[in-house]
Amino acid sequence: MQAERKFGETVIVPEGGPSSVACLRALGEHGIRTIGISESEQAPALASKHCTERRTVPDPKKDREGFRDALLELAARADVRAIAPMREVDVFTLARYRSEFTDHLLPTWPDFETLRDVHDRTRLVEIAADAGVATPRTRLLSETDDWDRKQVVKPRFALLAEEYEESMPPDRLGSPGSAELLQPGVEPNREQLREQMGHEPIVQEYVPGSEYALWALYDDGEAVATCGKHQLRAYKYSGGTSIARETTSIPALERAGRAVLDALEYDGPASVQFVRNERTDEFTLLEVNPRFWLSLSCPVVAGLDFPQLFWQLAGGETVDSVPSYEDGVATHLLRGEAVHLHSVLRDEFPLVDPPPFTEALRDVAVSLYEEPNFDYLSLDDPRPFVKDVQNVVPFGE
């Protein structure tokens, strides 16, 4: 008879920016022990008072096997219950070496086949379309010859690894960069884009509208908890990574997000990103982030504690009830708001005009006044904010 599996109490939280700080704080509020890990001792998450133990690990972009081995060594400890996937490199490592990690932990992340479907945006679009979800017209750069349309070029893969792109060195993981809006009627420099993104990128139709997401936690293909997000502002006025967002509850968003994750038979935390087409009002898929999302603070402040639910699943517990969350709760990355305003003043992008600066400034000011909730800034746990400021604006000796 097999002995009953025993679960530790500690969660490993890799440094992944604001999401890691939010995860540490949420777990710490429940008295859950944590181990913060990072390639840098200057990581803001390691400065949190809720980071019980701190470890420096190899950089997976330079030494993926060293990073894997460091994670495995920690996972083998009797007191460790889970590794929270905060970045693409975290979930890739867990999925790629799944059998080794499941010797010690219950899997709370997707298997490698599923992860590859998520990381390969050409495959993801096919899966979503088969599930009845709206998707943008998508082609490889090499297959595109019509440049009169409104289009965006973006990496095909969300992460560069030998398993996805054969030109990638086997001992490294890489970041392929971000999407770029294209000027209609102008053929881009294909070789420059390939070199910039490290592989053959894709070209998608540009869908105008506001960005939304469905944040979700899945357990073996079944939804445990979900929360809707409306993006208020990004670093750039044209869109991208969120620096201000609010909770929302829209049935059509819920249906679209669940349809994608159900089709993937997903496991673990994920953020399904959409744009709400301003012409048709339908939610068109952008991508799936197969990990905890950067704006994790938002649902936690709104009452839906995803890190606590994740901790329960990692311990083999059944989640019988999930608390409701409050709509319209916003959180901010404070320095991101400054970057956004700078973008409104200085940046120029094809396809998207900047809002009037006075209007953008007013929106930021009103939002900060009405919803003073921040990713880093906390009077109860101030050191991550201080460390983030020091990292962005280093002070002289």
Side-chain angles (χ1 to χ4, degrees):
M1 182 176 178
Q2 186 176 6
E4 183 179 354
R5 186 166 190 169
K6 295 182 179 180
F7 298 97
E9 300 295 313
T10 303
V11 178
I12 298 169
V13 181
E15 160 61 27
S19 58
S20 298
V21 174
C23 187
L24 288 165
R25 287 171 175 167
L27 294 171
E29 290 297 326
H30 294 284
I32 297 170
R33 194 176 185 280
T34 59
I35 303 174
I37 66 169
S38 175
E39 301 84 58
S40 170
E41 294 180 353
Q42 304 306 312
L46 302 191
S48 173
K49 73 175 188 179
H50 298 291
C51 185
T52 316
E53 183 180 341
R54 297 160 181 83
R55 289 292 188 93
T56 302
V57 296
D59 185 345
K61 293 182 179 180
K62 300 177 181 178
D63 182 8
R64 58 179 275 184
E65 290 188 1
F67 178 70
R68 175 203 63 192
D69 292 344
L71 277 188
L72 279 170
E73 181 181 349
L74 290 170
R77 285 176 30 171
D79 64 320
V80 169
R81 172 182 289 216
I83 299 172
M86 313 307 297
R87 308 167 297 178
E88 302 301 329
V89 293
D90 303 328
V91 69
F92 177 89
T93 302
L94 291 168
R96 176 65 179 82
Y97 305 103
R98 184 183 177 94
S99 61
E100 297 175 56
F101 281 100
T102 53
D103 284 342
H104 313 291
L105 309 173
L106 280 184
T108 47
W109 61 87
D111 60 35
F112 190 64
E113 181 180 355
T114 300
L115 184 67
R116 185 181 180 113
D117 286 341
V118 171
H119 276 164
D120 183 347
R121 292 178 173 127
T122 58
R123 177 64 181 142
L124 181 63
V125 164
E126 295 173 355
I127 292 171
D130 289 344
V133 176
T135 59
R137 179 179 179 270
T138 302
R139 292 186 178 181
L140 290 172
L141 177 63
S142 59
E143 299 172 348
T144 304
D145 53 16
D146 181 359
W147 302 107
D148 292 331
R149 300 169 181 262
K150 294 182 177 181
Q151 298 177 114
V152 57
V153 61
K154 63 172 61 173
R156 173 181 175 178
F157 298 111
L159 177 78
L160 293 182
E162 181 190 32
E163 290 82 353
Y164 300 164
E165 171 56 45
E166 61 182 13
S167 64
M168 190 67 187
D171 59 339
R172 298 188 178 193
L173 299 176
S175 174
S178 55
E180 290 189 15
L181 299 173
L182 299 177
Q183 181 69 50
V186 178
E187 182 175 353
N189 186 322
R190 298 175 191 249
E191 288 308 313
Q192 182 178 338
L193 287 171
R194 292 186 183 104
E195 182 178 353
Q196 179 180 323
M197 298 188 182
H199 67 300
E200 181 75 16
I202 57 174
V203 177
Q204 290 186 328
E205 69 171 306
Y206 173 74
V207 180
S210 297
E211 292 187 32
Y212 288 79
L214 186 72
W215 296 318
L217 179 62
Y218 264 58
D219 181 28
D220 197 22
E222 299 291 332
V224 174
T226 60
C227 178
K229 161 208 168 183
H230 177 209
Q231 180 165 297
L232 302 177
R233 287 175 294 280
Y235 280 109
K236 304 295 185 180
Y237 74 78
S238 59
T241 302
S242 168
I243 55 90
R245 73 300 286 183
E246 66 180 0
T247 54
T248 188
S249 181
I250 304 173
L253 175 63
E254 177 88 8
R255 288 194 297 270
R258 285 199 181 206
V260 174
L261 294 176
D262 288 349
L264 290 165
E265 298 182 358
Y266 196 78
D267 199 10
S271 175
V272 190
Q273 306 283 335
F274 295 94
V275 59
R276 192 173 195 174
N277 192 316
E278 64 182 28
R279 296 188 298 264
T280 66
D281 207 38
E282 67 182 349
F283 289 96
T284 301
L285 180 70
L286 293 177
E287 62 187 13
V288 174
N289 296 320
R291 50 173 169 77
F292 279 116
W293 42 96
L294 288 178
S295 35
L296 180 58
S297 63
C298 194
V300 174
V301 172
L304 186 48
D305 192 338
F306 279 101
Q308 167 68 3
L309 297 173
F310 175 83
W311 183 83
Q312 290 179 250
L313 293 179
E317 300 180 28
T318 300
V319 178
D320 295 320
S321 62
V322 175
S324 59
Y325 63 88
E326 182 181 352
D327 277 0
V329 173
T331 57
H332 314 263
L333 177 60
L334 198 53
R335 63 173 166 80
E337 296 282 20
V339 174
H340 173 82
L341 292 174
H342 182 269
S343 174
V344 172
L345 274 177
R346 301 297 184 185
D347 289 336
E348 293 183 7
F349 297 102
L351 312 180
V352 186
D353 294 325
F357 181 74
T358 53
E359 179 183 316
L361 181 61
R362 184 179 64 250
D363 288 345
V364 170
V366 170
S367 181
L368 291 173
Y369 175 77
E370 293 182 345
E371 294 288 333
N373 308 305
F374 306 103
D375 290 348
Y376 282 128
L377 182 60
S378 168
L379 295 179
D380 182 61
D381 184 29
R383 287 182 296 176
F385 176 76
V386 173
K387 181 59 68 175
D388 181 59
V389 171
Q390 290 175 340
N391 289 343
V392 175
V393 186
F395 295 95
E397 295 182 0

